[in-house]
Amino acid sequence: MEEDRKPEPGNQFKTVGLILACVLAGIVAVALGLMLADALILYAYESSGGQPMLYVMERVEPGENVVVPLTERDFVDHPALDVVIRGGERNPSAWEWGAGDRRFIGGVRVSYAESRALQDAYGPDRETWVYPHLEYEGAYYVVVTT
């Protein structure tokens, strides 16, 4: 006889509300878990000793490559670039033997975020894989990040 009884409408709303609350709590827990995993992975990368580097090479002539003039804003946006091209990390080697048109002028460790920003701004063209040449005070530079 009790099977013939219909459940009260108030109980149905409580059940639906409980299910919705559980679903929302699950979504929040998954999102927080993904954020924590991302933070831990980034921390592991940066503390592994495999921190990215910025290397700058000077060229005599840009050739047929795209030339990007550097401005003060570029140096403000990318302090590592400023340190290597104009600052204390500038230590140009001799012009490379056998290829007298280029030389290594310096390198510095950068964060993963800075490495990505430098790669996006001054990295190779995605179709041709040719690096642009940066021009500053009459000299041409190629920027490479690891």
Side-chain angles (χ1 to χ4, degrees):
M1 294 274 174
E2 289 190 29
E3 291 99 25
D4 294 336
R5 266 180 82 193
K6 291 185 178 180
E8 294 180 26
N11 287 340
Q12 288 178 342
F13 289 123
K14 287 180 185 177
T15 304
V16 170
L18 182 62
I19 291 171
L20 282 175
C22 290
V23 167
L24 287 175
I27 291 171
V28 169
V30 168
L32 289 174
L34 290 174
M35 289 171 50
L36 178 62
D38 185 47
L40 288 174
I41 289 170
L42 185 62
Y43 175 76
Y45 276 141
E46 290 200 1
S47 64
S48 69
Q51 190 169 359
M53 291 286 294
L54 161 72
Y55 297 106
V56 178
M57 210 168 27
E58 186 176 356
R59 300 281 314 237
V60 173
E61 292 291 327
E64 303 268 331
N65 295 341
V66 173
V67 175
V68 178
L70 289 177
T71 64
E72 287 301 317
R73 185 73 189 152
D74 293 315
F75 291 119
V76 169
D77 291 344
H78 306 288
L81 194 62
D82 185 31
V83 167
V84 176
I85 291 179
R86 302 191 302 185
E89 292 299 318
R90 181 180 174 85
N91 186 17
S93 64
W95 294 98
E96 289 186 23
W97 185 78
D101 68 336
R102 64 178 175 250
R103 67 179 172 175
F104 176 74
I105 66 160
V108 66
R109 291 187 186 276
V110 293
S111 68
Y112 282 94
E114 179 70 7
S115 175
R116 171 56 72 193
L118 286 163
Q119 186 74 14
D120 290 343
Y122 311 114
D125 180 275
R126 298 290 183 216
E127 292 177 10
T128 63
W129 290 101
V130 174
Y131 283 83
H133 283 65
L134 311 178
E135 189 272 327
Y136 180 70
E137 293 185 348
Y140 299 97
Y141 303 97
V142 177
V143 173
V144 179
T145 59
T146 59

